[in-house]
Amino acid sequence: VTASGSMTGVATRPAWMFAVNSATTLGNFLDGTSNTMVMAEVLTGTRADVRGMMWIANAGHCNVFTQLGPNSRSPDVLFRAGGVLCNEADPINSNPNINVLCIEGDTEGVNSFNTAASRSRHVGGVQVLLGDGAVRFVSENISIQTWRNLGSMIDGNSIGEF
């Protein structure tokens, strides 16, 4: 889960639990393990849409961004990387009742804006795994700032009840 927002400079350590080529320990949870998400539900894609597939590290695969809240009604934005990651022509991907809304981003990949929400078929929210091992149901009505704070283990923001 990656926190989003305006970040400048290069981070000296990852802000989330699972980062490429990193070794994260419990000591890296500066916000505390009970205040940090390490995993959240994501719906797998359909047909040519490969969201939820762990073998690829793009938005909507093993990375879920907190730019959008849980079960967002906004579509995921996925770039094309040697193929279609989001087939927006597929009626399944534009049906709000199925909850895998997506649109294609640009084809650059390097400087593109891509995001994917945590999504589920549960009414009202998604299940998340916190750093302390607790599994919690998080309401889709959670404030976006609290959701983003849960996505970072080093932002220093208090979470409170959620």
Side-chain angles (χ1 to χ4, degrees):
V1 178
T2 59
S4 62
S6 57
M7 295 178 66
T8 58
V10 176
T12 58
R13 62 179 157 239
W16 50 89
M17 179 69 182
F18 302 108
V20 175
N21 298 324
S22 73
T24 306
T25 67
L26 292 178
N28 295 118
F29 284 80
L30 301 183
D31 294 347
T33 56
S34 62
N35 292 318
T36 306
M37 283 189 292
V38 296
M39 291 186 180
E41 276 187 281
V42 62
L43 292 176
T44 58
T46 57
R47 300 182 187 147
D49 178 346
V50 294
R51 282 177 288 175
M53 305 303 175
M54 296 300 287
W55 49 267
I56 189 166
N58 297 324
H61 307 297
C62 65
N63 290 317
V64 176
F65 294 87
T66 56
Q67 179 69 26
L68 302 172
N71 283 337
S72 174
R73 299 297 176 237
S74 296
D76 294 339
V77 179
L78 305 173
F79 70 86
R80 300 179 74 159
V84 177
L85 298 182
C86 166
N87 182 359
E88 59 185 285
D90 187 332
I92 290 173
N93 294 332
S94 61
N95 183 338
N97 298 321
I98 297 176
N99 200 19
V100 289
L101 303 173
C102 69
I103 58 174
E104 290 181 21
D106 64 45
T107 58
E108 291 298 315
V110 175
N111 297 313
S112 63
F113 174 77
N114 299 283
T115 190
S118 177
R119 299 180 187 277
S120 78
R121 300 243 196 287
H122 305 298
V123 174
V126 297
Q127 298 282 356
V128 302
L129 173 66
L130 299 176
D132 64 1
V135 175
R136 297 264 314 262
F137 184 78
V138 176
S139 170
E140 60 194 35
N141 298 317
I142 188 172
S143 83
I144 193 66
Q145 190 58 56
T146 300
W147 179 248
R148 290 175 181 166
N149 291 345
L150 281 168
S152 173
M153 63 185 188
I154 64 168
D155 63 11
N157 293 313
S158 296
I159 300 294
E161 293 296 317
F162 63 92

